[in-house]
Every structure is written in structure tokens, then in C-alpha cells.
Amino acid sequence: MGKIFAIVSTILGAIIGAGFSTGQEIFYFFSRFKEKSFLYIFFSSILIFLILLYFVDIRIKSRIILMVFKSYILLFSVITLIVMFSAFGQLGKDFLGVSRHIFTLLCFVLSVAIFKHGLLAVVNINKVVISILIITIVFIFLQALHKNEILTQFESLKFHLQKDILNHLIFPLLYSTYNSLLAFPVVNGLKQRFRQKEIKVSIIISSILIFWLLSIINTMLLSKSSILNTQMPLLIVEKNIILKLILVTCAFLEILTTILANYMGLSYSIKNSKAEFVIIIISLLLGFNEFQALLRKLYSLMGFIGLGIIAMLLLSTLLLKDRRLK
């Protein structure tokens, strides 16, 4: 069970980042669709499960396809790094009143220091962060439920499927594609330390927890529709100073875990440590831009490209009948 917990925490740590912990991406991809958001969350969770399970077994024998895939992971890692660096700086500015540049630089220093200690350090920090996050989210949800804040907002929702539901399915599709590819380098790294059976069981548990966490946070956001236009809606929902402090701390730590996952993506794509460092520095400099704008523009772009990449991998698997990635 200790191994399963370590794997689940590491997978969740890769997927749960700035947009998740602040509520921004959950609002953008789910909450704004009101009652349909719960269906979209379920759809996304199933897709994440299927894609991650596929990643455990696939193998690409074609050098061209493997080169294209590694190039995408490289581009994907760079873009996500830019967003995460920006998010860390935005958090420091919004909740501590400190310059975004200072906190972005702090994020860079901390992430590089942790990553130098290898995969074990990544696993250990994820175990702590995910445990704190789950306990905090559950406590806040139960507190809101006790105050009838959750039940009240459900009375205003009409649970019926509208005709435009198919037009909006692209949002959960992009969400699941992006986050699955974000976790790929981590899953690939875990295969070197754990058995496939342990990883597959962990993927099942991770998918259930993703659905559960998304649903809880989405419900809380729907109960406070007046603040959904902010950059960090989840962090504004909670008014208790201590709980808000814990949430902000979780957000900082979760951004770090996502950055570590992207460092693993860089290591998978390129084998030159000097080139990796140069790319990280460029991502850091670009990360001084505004978080919300970066998240919405780059997230969707990489999601669309990711759909093509996964389609290419599926086609490769069907044609070559070989399902283990080199």
C-alpha cells in the first residue's frame, strides 16, 4: 500500500497544478457550464484513466513517430513551465503582496534544488502535498455542506441535457488530453522503479480521486458564482484565514510538483543537461507574463496538438501491434 500511495501521489502531483489548485482551470473547463459540468468531469476522468493506462504499455518502434512524440513532449513541457512559473509569481503577488518577479525566481530555485535529488525527492514531496490538499479540500467542503451553502446552490440548477452539449465536449476532451500528457513523463519514470501492476492499480485510484476532487471543487465554485471571474477563484471561496493560508500553501507546493513533472518531460525529450538548463531559463523569463492569459491561450493550444499526438500514437499501435514505449 505504501508503494501504491507513492505512485498515486506522484501521478496526482503531476496533474494537479496551478490551474487546479486555484480553481481557474476548473472554472474555465467545467464550472461555467453549470449542471453540465458534472457530466464533463466524469467524461474527463474516464479519458484520463484510459490514456494513462495506454501510456503504461505502449511502445513506438517508428523512429519518426518517436521523434515527433518527443518533440511534442519538449514543447509541451516548455509551455507548461512558462504557465507554472507565472502562476507561482501571481500567487505571491495576490496573497502576499510581493513582486511577481521575486516569487517566480524563488520558484525556479526551489524546483531546481528538489529535482537535483532525483525521482525519490519528487515522490516524497508529492506524498506530503497531496495528503494536505485532500484533507483540506474535504474539510472545507464538509464545512460548506454543514452551513447549507452547497445544498442551496443546487436548487438553482436544472439537471437536463441541452442541445448544445456536444459543442462543449471539446473542453473536457482538451482537459483530459493535456493533463494525461502532463503525467506521461512521470508514469514513464515510475516504470523504472515500480511494477506495471502497481502502476495500473494506482492509475485507477488516481482517476477516481481526480473525479472526486474535481467534483468537490466544482461544486464549491458553483456555490460562489460571484467570484468566478477572478484569477484564483478557489482561494477566494474560503474566508477562514487559517484554511485560506493552507490552500495558498498547497497551491504553491502543487505548482512546484507540476514543474518537477515538466522537468522530467525535458529529461525524457532531450539528454543534454546544458540544453535542459537553457530551456528552463527561457521558460522562466517568459513566465513573467500574466498567469490567466497564459493559462487560457496556451492550455487550449497544447490540448488541440495533444489530440493529434494521441491519435498518431493510437494509429502507430494499431499498425505496428507493439505496445511498449522505448
Side-chain angles (χ1 to χ4, degrees):
M1 290 304 296
K3 290 182 179 180
I4 297 296
F5 176 65
I7 299 171
V8 169
S9 300
T10 306
I11 292 174
L12 287 178
I15 292 175
I16 295 174
F20 191 108
S21 57
T22 62
Q24 174 60 224
E25 79 177 23
I26 295 176
F27 166 65
Y28 181 69
F29 286 90
F30 302 112
S31 301
R32 64 190 180 124
F33 299 115
K34 303 296 182 181
E35 65 274 2
K36 290 177 295 212
S37 60
F38 297 97
L39 177 62
Y40 294 156
I41 287 172
F42 177 74
F43 179 54
S44 289
S45 303
I46 294 295
L47 283 178
I48 289 174
F49 162 71
L50 293 175
I51 296 173
L52 290 182
L53 206 59
Y54 174 73
F55 281 155
V56 175
D57 292 326
I58 64 170
R59 182 181 184 182
I60 303 175
K61 295 185 69 175
S62 169
R63 291 182 179 273
I64 296 177
I65 293 178
L66 185 61
M67 182 180 67
V68 172
F69 182 65
K70 286 188 175 184
S71 298
Y72 173 80
I73 293 296
L74 174 61
L75 176 63
F76 180 89
S77 299
V78 170
I79 288 180
T80 308
L81 278 176
I82 294 171
V83 175
M84 293 300 111
F85 282 136
S86 175
F88 203 93
Q90 191 68 46
L91 267 177
K93 177 183 178 182
D94 289 354
F95 293 94
L96 298 177
V98 181
S99 169
R100 285 196 301 114
H101 295 76
I102 292 177
F103 261 80
T104 302
L105 289 172
L106 175 63
C107 179
F108 165 74
V109 173
L110 290 174
S111 60
V112 170
I114 295 171
F115 190 69
K116 279 187 175 181
H117 288 83
L119 180 62
L120 184 60
V122 176
V123 171
N124 287 333
I125 190 173
N126 276 304
K127 283 161 50 174
V128 174
V129 173
I130 296 303
S131 298
I132 296 174
L133 172 71
I134 291 177
I135 293 172
T136 305
I137 292 297
V138 170
F139 182 81
I140 293 174
F141 178 76
L142 292 176
Q143 185 183 56
L145 194 63
H146 178 70
K147 295 178 180 178
N148 293 323
E149 294 177 358
I150 301 298
L151 294 178
T152 302
Q153 62 95 6
F154 272 104
E155 295 177 359
S156 63
L157 295 179
K158 298 179 180 179
F159 289 90
H160 65 275
L161 300 181
Q162 300 175 2
K163 295 180 179 180
D164 62 350
I165 188 169
L166 293 178
N167 296 330
H168 296 155
L169 280 179
I170 188 64
F171 288 90
L173 190 60
L174 291 176
Y175 179 87
S176 54
T177 300
Y178 183 93
N179 284 289
S180 298
L181 286 165
L182 184 62
F184 165 76
V186 172
V187 172
N188 191 60
L190 290 171
K191 288 194 293 186
Q192 302 173 14
R193 298 181 63 96
F194 301 95
R195 293 181 300 172
Q196 281 199 7
K197 183 178 180 180
E198 293 170 337
I199 297 176
K200 289 181 178 180
V201 171
S202 299
I203 288 174
I204 295 173
I205 298 173
S206 299
S207 302
I208 294 172
L209 287 175
I210 288 169
F211 170 75
W212 182 63
L213 285 170
L214 284 173
S215 298
I216 288 179
I217 296 175
N218 178 57
T219 301
M220 290 191 291
L221 292 180
L222 288 175
S223 67
K224 300 287 184 179
S225 58
S226 60
I227 51 85
L228 291 180
N229 290 325
T230 63
Q231 293 201 65
M232 314 266 177
L234 178 61
L235 303 183
I236 298 177
V237 167
E238 181 53 49
K239 300 301 180 183
N240 183 282
I241 297 178
I242 296 177
L243 290 177
K244 179 176 288 191
L245 178 62
I246 295 175
L247 277 176
V248 172
T249 302
C250 283
F252 277 122
L253 294 174
E254 287 154 19
I255 292 170
L256 275 177
T257 61
T258 305
I259 288 175
L260 294 173
N262 281 279
Y263 286 168
M264 295 179 69
L266 291 180
S267 298
Y268 171 78
S269 303
I270 52 179
K271 305 300 180 182
N272 189 311
S273 57
K274 292 182 179 179
E276 287 181 36
F277 187 75
V278 170
I279 291 173
I280 292 172
I281 293 297
I282 293 174
S283 302
L284 172 66
L285 295 175
L286 294 174
F288 290 131
N289 290 291
E290 187 180 357
F291 164 59
Q292 188 179 45
L294 285 172
L295 179 68
R296 294 188 174 184
K297 292 179 180 179
L298 299 180
Y299 201 115
S300 296
L301 172 64
M302 295 306 293
F304 279 113
I305 299 176
L307 286 175
I309 294 295
I310 290 180
M312 179 191 70
L313 292 177
L314 290 171
L315 181 61
S316 172
T317 299
L318 292 173
L319 293 177
L320 299 175
K321 297 181 180 180
D322 196 338
R323 301 191 56 177
R324 187 183 298 275
L325 186 63
K326 288 180 178 179

